[in-house]
Amino acid sequence: MEKLWSKDYVLNIVGNLLLFVVFYLLMVYTTKLAITEFNVSVSEAGLASGIFIVGALVARLVISRYMDFIGRKRMLIIAVVIHAICTFGYHFIDGMLFLCTLRFIQGITYGMASTVIATIVASIVPESRRGEGIGYFTLSITLGSAIGPFLGISLPQINPLYALVLCDVLSISLIVLAFILNITEIKVGFRQRVEVKSFRLRTFFEPTAIPISIVALLGAIGYSAVMSYIGTYSETIGLLLGGSLFYIAYSIACLIFRPISGVMIDRYGNHVVMVPILFTMILGFVAIALAHSNLVLLLGAVLVGIGYGSIPSAGQTIAVQKVKLNKFSLATSTLYIALDLGNGIGPYILGMVVPIYGFRAVYMCSAIAALLAFLFYIGMIIKSRKENMAV
């Protein structure tokens, strides 16, 4: 069996974990800050939180085209240095305009760094263990999505400064990691040089990765309501214990199931994994919407962890299956653009439901988005089988 756990593979996992802890911590922190300090609506607070993702989208559209021209290591160092500068800027926020501007710029650096790291990992894991390798790697996102919000909710209750200082330390650590990483650069060929001068749609997105990216987009829209509003929601319905333990339950489910899903994709194929996890995601959002006890709310966390929690790893594995090594960055970027777009527009769109129908309706809307993802994937299977029969 080919070796998976190399030093650089582990360092990439650690670096990605630090990046996502800061991302999720500040996502929760800024939503609360906007509501309490600047007296804005839930939807406006969601916009302040989500504009970070807009910045990431801008970065991903550009990064996949120019990454190998600039150099992966150089791009990563530039990204994490500016990211750290932005992190220090949170100490000086004095209004919504400053907050949104800072979030947008930091979103750009996050998009750059996360795309480079994910591309490096997809390139260095053995092809025969790609699903497993990407599965373990994306556990860093899972841990970040559990640790970050937990710290973002708990630390400000002790002292608001603690959360920001921790982000400063983690951002500096990320810079150190970027410098010590051994990154193999890809030699740019003549065809890439020609394509980079073109502004056709296919030069920004990898066509073979678009179908799975649409599935990821719909799932991310649903999950964005969890990421942005679960703390406020659990407080509103009187389930504070379930809300405080939500991300821990979500994380544990991901930690257990995501490596299994990666191995299953390698051995049995995409559909054996994707169909059950999409259906489980639907059930998870419904459980959250109907929760009247801490147990049901935590059940929803587990189901969403098994469902949506497996999409980034399974999605990236599927996205790079049919592309050459020099297209890994474009395929990875296409998937991550979809995930970021869903996380970016979701809090604003679903936040508008709250004043009219309440928080429970938000999570039913999340279930509908997950259902659409499920139906779209079934359509992908049917189309694929018809094409194979035609051949």
Side-chain angles (χ1 to χ4, degrees), residues 341-362:
L341 181 61
N343 284 320
I345 65 176
Y348 185 66
I349 294 174
L350 298 180
M352 291 190 290
V353 176
V354 177
I356 306 172
Y357 300 107
F359 272 112
R360 292 191 185 278
V362 169

Side-chain angles (χ1 to χ4, degrees), residues 250-295:
Y250 171 86
S251 178
I252 291 172
C254 289
L255 286 170
I256 294 172
F257 191 79
R258 188 174 284 182
I260 296 174
S261 67
V263 173
M264 289 178 68
I265 283 183
D266 290 335
R267 293 183 180 177
Y268 305 111
N270 305 334
H271 308 331
V272 172
V273 173
M274 288 301 298
V275 171
I277 68 174
L278 291 173
F279 185 72
T280 303
M281 181 168 62
I282 298 170
L283 296 179
F285 289 134
V286 171
I288 294 171
L290 301 180
H292 286 86
S293 69
N294 290 308
L295 184 61

